[in-house]
Structure formats: structure tokens, C-alpha cells
Amino acid sequence: MKLRVLVPLAALLIAACQPTDNSPEAVCRRQAYNDPQVVALRIRMMQSASVDLGSKGELQYLLEQATLRCLQDKGLAVPGGVEPVQPTRP
């Protein structure tokens, strides 16, 4: 009986011991999922009966842009460079 309790508890302890990447890039990638544009698109995608490839491309683009803005706000993004191609909207 105690084994049924100990196994899940051991699994939780092992999962809690996994290192979390707290680098600025990782923090900004996680924060990008809360960007208002990303959240709005994810809601539209969930409400749609089918998700087209354009929406997935747009989501990826918005996530990348939100991550870049976060890094720039922290003063970490390299200025300049090539701007990514923005996906076309139907």
C-alpha cells in the first residue's frame, strides 16, 4: 500500500530536481507565449475547426518577434541583421 504512495512521490521529486534553464534567452522564449498577439492568435487557432499552415507559420513568427522584443528590452539582442520574412495572411 505504501508503495502506491511512494512511487508517485518519488517521480515528483525527480521531476522537481530537473534544472530549469534560466538564461535570458530561455526566459524570453517562455515569456513570449504570454505576448498579447501570440495569445490572441492561439485563441483564434483553438476556435477554428481546422488549423492551416499559415496560422502555424504566423504563430512561429509572432513567437520569434516577441522573444526578440524581450531580448532587446533586456539589452541583449544584437541590433541590425536580417529581418525575418513575415508570413502572408490569406
Side-chain angles (χ1 to χ4, degrees):
M1 195 66 161
K2 289 183 181 182
L3 187 60
R4 288 184 182 178
V5 174
L6 291 177
V7 171
L9 183 60
L12 286 173
L13 288 174
I14 291 171
C17 292
Q18 296 296 324
T20 302
D21 186 3
N22 287 327
S23 67
E25 292 83 6
V27 170
C28 285
R29 277 194 307 271
R30 288 191 299 266
Q31 186 177 338
Y33 282 94
N34 294 326
D35 183 76
Q37 292 178 330
V38 172
V39 170
L41 180 59
R42 287 173 49 213
I43 290 172
R44 278 188 282 140
M45 289 172 68
M46 285 188 282
Q47 291 173 343
S48 175
S50 65
V51 178
D52 61 347
L53 293 177
S55 295
K56 289 182 181 179
E58 185 178 359
L59 178 63
Q60 184 63 36
Y61 174 79
L62 289 176
L63 284 170
E64 290 170 1
Q65 292 302 304
T67 302
L68 182 62
R69 279 192 306 275
C70 174
L71 289 170
Q72 288 172 338
D73 290 345
K74 293 177 184 281
L76 298 173
V78 180
V82 178
E83 186 172 330
V85 177
Q86 188 172 12
T88 58
R89 294 186 181 193

